[in-house]
Amino acid sequence: MLPHAADDISRDGKSLILAYDHGIEHGPVDFEPNPDTADPERIFELATHEAVTSLAVQKGLAEAYYPDYEDEVNLLLKLNGTSNLWMGEPDSAVNCTPEYAAELGADAIGFTVYAGSNHEVEMAEEFREAQEGARERGMGVVMWSYPRGQGLRNDGSPDVISYGARLGLELGADVVKVKYPGSAEAMGDAVEMAGPADVVMSGGTMRDDEAFLRNVSNAIDAGATGIAVGRNVFQRDEPERILDALEAVIFEEVDPAEALAV
Ligand code: FBP
């Protein structure tokens, strides 16, 4: 096994990344179900929950809030992002360098790559700079590997998700974040394609607690190492409760029904 540059953002080889880049990616609409969550302080507090192994945010939030949390929270700094107001082919503006991420105290960098977009070539080249910059500074590299673009008819198909996982390995990510491909078997294929890179599933918006945790449990059984989750935690009335259950399912491999019963 290769030395693992993402150890700083995992616990016993497993990860729960609390994703909070929604203010840029989707906009204020994502805070409507739980209006308090528009306040980043609420989420930095939530990230001190012991289930959370890192908090993924953009530069502006890290500058404003991370100094107060650097002893309690591992920082996963997203280096690119796009608003939902952008109507072109999938693309993501690079808004932070790995140098500045290190200055802000990041343990790892996060980077979105939309393979299949007309902008794939530039995005892969931008990822190269981010990945090599992170390597030089000992930061882990997490790729949001989301194949999408006008040429892709089904970006949620198991084959496409496995391809996305493989791209993470090929381009040098330590952790590849993919959509859940719908079954443990398909997740197992994605994990196999990612080789020594860790695979984490994204959270999505599924509201049935047990069904959501069952997907997470299936992903773990298939060899995934955790989840990068945003809305499915912070849009709930009691985000701490689902974090407790996620902790049991991911780190202790407790059955979802049992995890919810506690
Ligand atoms: P969720 O758990 O809320 O799905 O967040 C995961 C995530 O990757 C976020 O980091 C990102 O903002 C969002 O999904 C992007 O979702 P999409 O591009 O599919 O709209």
Side-chain angles (χ1 to χ4, degrees):
M1 202 63 167
L2 298 169
H4 203 291
D7 281 349
D8 289 348
I9 56 159
S10 58
R11 178 181 7 137
D12 303 330
K14 302 271 186 63
S15 315
L16 194 162
I17 299 168
L18 184 59
Y20 187 61
D21 56 342
H22 302 68
I24 186 166
E25 296 290 340
H26 297 159
V29 68
D30 275 6
F31 308 134
E32 281 171 11
N34 194 352
D36 287 352
T37 60
D39 179 0
E41 186 94 48
R42 171 80 183 96
I43 306 298
F44 275 81
E45 274 302 320
L46 200 57
T48 64
H49 188 291
E50 62 177 25
V52 177
T53 57
S54 68
L55 173 65
V57 289
Q58 292 279 343
K59 168 170 84 172
L61 299 196
E63 285 179 333
Y65 296 91
Y66 193 57
D68 289 340
Y69 289 89
E70 60 189 3
D71 294 335
E72 293 169 283
V73 173
N74 296 322
L75 179 63
L76 167 48
L77 199 76
K78 265 315 289 296
L79 301 191
N80 65 351
T82 338
S83 86
N84 224 1
L85 305 172
W86 166 250
M87 291 296 152
E89 262 288 278
D91 201 357
S92 194
V94 181
N95 49 41
C96 186
T97 61
E99 293 90 315
Y100 192 52
E103 240 176 81
L104 289 171
D107 297 284
I109 58 120
F111 205 96
T112 299
V113 175
Y114 296 126
S117 157
N118 290 347
H119 300 295
E120 174 182 330
V121 172
E122 300 92 279
M123 294 191 90
E125 289 170 357
E126 290 161 359
F127 179 78
R128 185 234 315 142
E129 277 184 41
Q131 192 266 0
E132 293 179 2
R135 286 278 177 266
E136 275 170 35
R137 293 165 182 83
M139 296 183 289
V141 177
V142 182
M143 182 195 283
W144 274 233
S145 189
Y146 287 172
R148 62 179 61 159
Q150 63 179 12
L152 263 180
R153 282 184 199 284
N154 184 358
D155 62 5
S157 80
D159 287 353
V160 170
I161 288 173
S162 282
Y163 203 159
R166 184 67 184 203
L167 286 171
L169 169 66
E170 302 278 347
L171 297 179
D174 301 299
V175 181
V176 195
K177 175 176 192 285
V178 298
K179 304 274 180 194
Y180 182 67
S183 70
E185 194 192 351
M187 188 49 119
D189 292 341
V191 167
E192 193 184 339
M193 285 306 113
D198 286 348
V199 176
V200 296
M201 62 176 270
S202 62
T205 53
M206 181 183 263
R207 275 297 168 267
D208 178 316
D209 288 1
E210 194 171 335
F212 166 54
L213 291 173
R214 185 71 55 199
N215 284 350
V216 178
S217 176
N218 286 342
I220 298 290
D221 287 349
T225 57
I227 189 168
V229 58
R231 289 164 292 181
N232 228 323
V233 168
F234 68 71
Q235 288 184 342
R236 289 168 189 265
D237 292 338
E238 296 180 287
E240 287 84 358
R241 185 169 175 264
I242 197 79
L243 282 178
D244 291 341
L246 282 167
E247 181 171 23
V249 169
I250 294 170
F251 297 97
E252 291 143 38
E253 301 195 14
V254 168
D255 182 75
E258 207 185 307
L260 284 167
V262 179

